[in-house]
Amino acid sequence: KKTAETHERMQPTWNAMAMGIELQPVPPDLAKAVTIICNDCERTEDNRAWHFLGVQCRSCTSFNTVVERITKVGAEAHAFLATADPHPSQRQAAREAAAAQQQQEQRQQRHRQRLQPPAQQPAAIMTDGEVPAEEQERLFREQQEYQARYMQMRRAEQQQLEQMRSEQQQQQQQQQQQQQQERGGGLSGGRRRIRDAFNGRRRSMGL
């Protein structure tokens, strides 16, 4: 069954679930490698890491997925998923280790260049597709800035939606209050008419 709400309405919820998965990794003895089917985009994904909060679809980011079958469990699944579908914390650790190794290699290369005589120092040669470390850092910073701007824009949109809903609720409440006042005024007017008619009749009878 597809998600009833729109993708935009569900995105904050899915982001919160993804954050919960990052903060609560599954213990190795409970690890499972599973095949899932997404109810929203109807795509199948193999070798995904099971989590008790759900498994997020890589195609549409939905958590409206079901486990079709379990292929590995326990320590075997944990070792297999370390490369097939690593936990976000493992991916972050791998990125940090790769960055540290790259920095170490750059330091060693600069040290070797300083030890070489100036006449023998080789010129820097860039092969096709190779990106300098400075350019990689600049691109990484730009990507982080774009992500921060995107998240800020999403939060602003969510606040605007909440404000619109609040204003609509206030308008509905005001309309209901006006309707209640109008109904109450009609009853009071009817009572006054009955009272005036009764008093007029008493005066005509000399009472």
PDB file of all heavy atoms in Angstrom, residues 3 19 36 75 79 106 129 145 151 161 174 183 188:
ATOM      1  N   THR A   3       2.151   5.180   0.341  1.00  0.00           N
ATOM      2  CA  THR A   3       2.011   6.181   1.391  1.00  0.00           C
ATOM      3  C   THR A   3       0.899   7.161   1.037  1.00  0.00           C
ATOM      4  O   THR A   3       0.855   7.681  -0.082  1.00  0.00           O
ATOM      5  CB  THR A   3       3.328   6.946   1.578  1.00  0.00           C
ATOM      6  OG1 THR A   3       4.374   5.994   1.868  1.00  0.00           O
ATOM      7  CG2 THR A   3       3.224   7.931   2.726  1.00  0.00           C
ATOM      8  N   MET A  19      17.892   9.491  10.851  1.00  0.00           N
ATOM      9  CA  MET A  19      18.754   9.932  11.947  1.00  0.00           C
ATOM     10  C   MET A  19      18.735   8.936  13.099  1.00  0.00           C
ATOM     11  O   MET A  19      19.768   8.646  13.710  1.00  0.00           O
ATOM     12  CB  MET A  19      18.304  11.310  12.435  1.00  0.00           C
ATOM     13  CG  MET A  19      19.153  11.875  13.559  1.00  0.00           C
ATOM     14  SD  MET A  19      20.855  12.200  13.056  1.00  0.00           S
ATOM     15  CE  MET A  19      20.578  13.552  11.897  1.00  0.00           C
ATOM     16  N   ILE A  36      14.438  -6.079  -0.026  1.00  0.00           N
ATOM     17  CA  ILE A  36      13.240  -5.297   0.270  1.00  0.00           C
ATOM     18  C   ILE A  36      12.512  -4.918  -1.016  1.00  0.00           C
ATOM     19  O   ILE A  36      13.096  -4.920  -2.105  1.00  0.00           O
ATOM     20  CB  ILE A  36      13.587  -4.010   1.048  1.00  0.00           C
ATOM     21  CG1 ILE A  36      14.452  -3.073   0.193  1.00  0.00           C
ATOM     22  CG2 ILE A  36      14.275  -4.336   2.353  1.00  0.00           C
ATOM     23  CD1 ILE A  36      14.596  -1.668   0.743  1.00  0.00           C
ATOM     24  N   ALA A  75      26.626 -12.778  12.626  1.00  0.00           N
ATOM     25  CA  ALA A  75      27.971 -12.294  12.331  1.00  0.00           C
ATOM     26  C   ALA A  75      28.274 -12.338  10.838  1.00  0.00           C
ATOM     27  O   ALA A  75      28.968 -11.468  10.306  1.00  0.00           O
ATOM     28  CB  ALA A  75      28.998 -13.121  13.104  1.00  0.00           C
ATOM     29  N   ALA A  79      29.447  -8.991   8.738  1.00  0.00           N
ATOM     30  CA  ALA A  79      30.672  -8.893   7.946  1.00  0.00           C
ATOM     31  C   ALA A  79      30.357  -8.598   6.478  1.00  0.00           C
ATOM     32  O   ALA A  79      31.054  -7.814   5.823  1.00  0.00           O
ATOM     33  CB  ALA A  79      31.476 -10.189   8.065  1.00  0.00           C
ATOM     34  N   GLN A 106      50.118  12.735   1.303  1.00  0.00           N
ATOM     35  CA  GLN A 106      50.520  14.055   0.827  1.00  0.00           C
ATOM     36  C   GLN A 106      51.694  14.599   1.630  1.00  0.00           C
ATOM     37  O   GLN A 106      52.618  15.198   1.061  1.00  0.00           O
ATOM     38  CB  GLN A 106      49.330  15.014   0.898  1.00  0.00           C
ATOM     39  CG  GLN A 106      48.229  14.712  -0.105  1.00  0.00           C
ATOM     40  CD  GLN A 106      47.026  15.607   0.084  1.00  0.00           C
ATOM     41  OE1 GLN A 106      46.971  16.395   1.018  1.00  0.00           O
ATOM     42  NE2 GLN A 106      46.044  15.475  -0.800  1.00  0.00           N
ATOM     43  N   GLY A 129      41.604  12.996 -15.458  1.00  0.00           N
ATOM     44  CA  GLY A 129      40.622  12.633 -14.434  1.00  0.00           C
ATOM     45  C   GLY A 129      41.099  12.808 -13.014  1.00  0.00           C
ATOM     46  O   GLY A 129      40.323  12.660 -12.082  1.00  0.00           O
ATOM     47  N   GLU A 145      28.086  23.366   1.926  1.00  0.00           N
ATOM     48  CA  GLU A 145      27.317  24.610   1.924  1.00  0.00           C
ATOM     49  C   GLU A 145      25.981  24.424   1.220  1.00  0.00           C
ATOM     50  O   GLU A 145      24.951  24.920   1.698  1.00  0.00           O
ATOM     51  CB  GLU A 145      28.125  25.714   1.239  1.00  0.00           C
ATOM     52  CG  GLU A 145      29.362  26.145   2.018  1.00  0.00           C
ATOM     53  CD  GLU A 145      30.200  27.168   1.266  1.00  0.00           C
ATOM     54  OE1 GLU A 145      29.833  27.490   0.115  1.00  0.00           O
ATOM     55  OE2 GLU A 145      31.209  27.625   1.828  1.00  0.00           O
ATOM     56  N   MET A 151      18.875  22.311   3.556  1.00  0.00           N
ATOM     57  CA  MET A 151      18.190  21.994   4.805  1.00  0.00           C
ATOM     58  C   MET A 151      17.525  23.241   5.378  1.00  0.00           C
ATOM     59  O   MET A 151      16.407  23.177   5.910  1.00  0.00           O
ATOM     60  CB  MET A 151      19.186  21.415   5.811  1.00  0.00           C
ATOM     61  CG  MET A 151      19.752  20.060   5.408  1.00  0.00           C
ATOM     62  SD  MET A 151      18.474  18.796   5.230  1.00  0.00           S
ATOM     63  CE  MET A 151      17.861  18.721   6.906  1.00  0.00           C
ATOM     64  N   LEU A 161       4.446  26.214   6.024  1.00  0.00           N
ATOM     65  CA  LEU A 161       3.285  25.325   5.982  1.00  0.00           C
ATOM     66  C   LEU A 161       2.585  25.285   7.335  1.00  0.00           C
ATOM     67  O   LEU A 161       1.348  25.336   7.418  1.00  0.00           O
ATOM     68  CB  LEU A 161       3.723  23.919   5.561  1.00  0.00           C
ATOM     69  CG  LEU A 161       4.132  23.739   4.095  1.00  0.00           C
ATOM     70  CD1 LEU A 161       4.689  22.342   3.867  1.00  0.00           C
ATOM     71  CD2 LEU A 161       2.936  23.987   3.179  1.00  0.00           C
ATOM     72  N   GLN A 174     -12.723  31.372  14.167  1.00  0.00           N
ATOM     73  CA  GLN A 174     -13.436  32.646  14.143  1.00  0.00           C
ATOM     74  C   GLN A 174     -14.778  32.518  13.431  1.00  0.00           C
ATOM     75  O   GLN A 174     -15.789  33.072  13.880  1.00  0.00           O
ATOM     76  CB  GLN A 174     -12.571  33.704  13.451  1.00  0.00           C
ATOM     77  CG  GLN A 174     -11.344  34.116  14.256  1.00  0.00           C
ATOM     78  CD  GLN A 174     -10.481  35.098  13.503  1.00  0.00           C
ATOM     79  OE1 GLN A 174     -10.769  35.429  12.348  1.00  0.00           O
ATOM     80  NE2 GLN A 174      -9.406  35.558  14.136  1.00  0.00           N
ATOM     81  N   ARG A 183     -26.349  32.678  15.750  1.00  0.00           N
ATOM     82  CA  ARG A 183     -27.444  31.823  16.226  1.00  0.00           C
ATOM     83  C   ARG A 183     -27.938  32.293  17.583  1.00  0.00           C
ATOM     84  O   ARG A 183     -29.140  32.342  17.848  1.00  0.00           O
ATOM     85  CB  ARG A 183     -26.980  30.360  16.291  1.00  0.00           C
ATOM     86  CG  ARG A 183     -26.828  29.716  14.918  1.00  0.00           C
ATOM     87  CD  ARG A 183     -26.743  28.222  15.057  1.00  0.00           C
ATOM     88  NE  ARG A 183     -25.548  27.816  15.806  1.00  0.00           N
ATOM     89  CZ  ARG A 183     -24.387  27.518  15.242  1.00  0.00           C
ATOM     90  NH1 ARG A 183     -24.251  27.605  13.930  1.00  0.00           N
ATOM     91  NH2 ARG A 183     -23.349  27.149  15.972  1.00  0.00           N
ATOM     92  N   SER A 188     -32.069  35.442  20.923  1.00  0.00           N
ATOM     93  CA  SER A 188     -32.368  36.571  21.802  1.00  0.00           C
ATOM     94  C   SER A 188     -33.401  37.492  21.164  1.00  0.00           C
ATOM     95  O   SER A 188     -34.319  37.979  21.819  1.00  0.00           O
ATOM     96  CB  SER A 188     -31.081  37.346  22.099  1.00  0.00           C
ATOM     97  OG  SER A 188     -30.161  36.512  22.779  1.00  0.00           O
TER      98      SER A 188
END
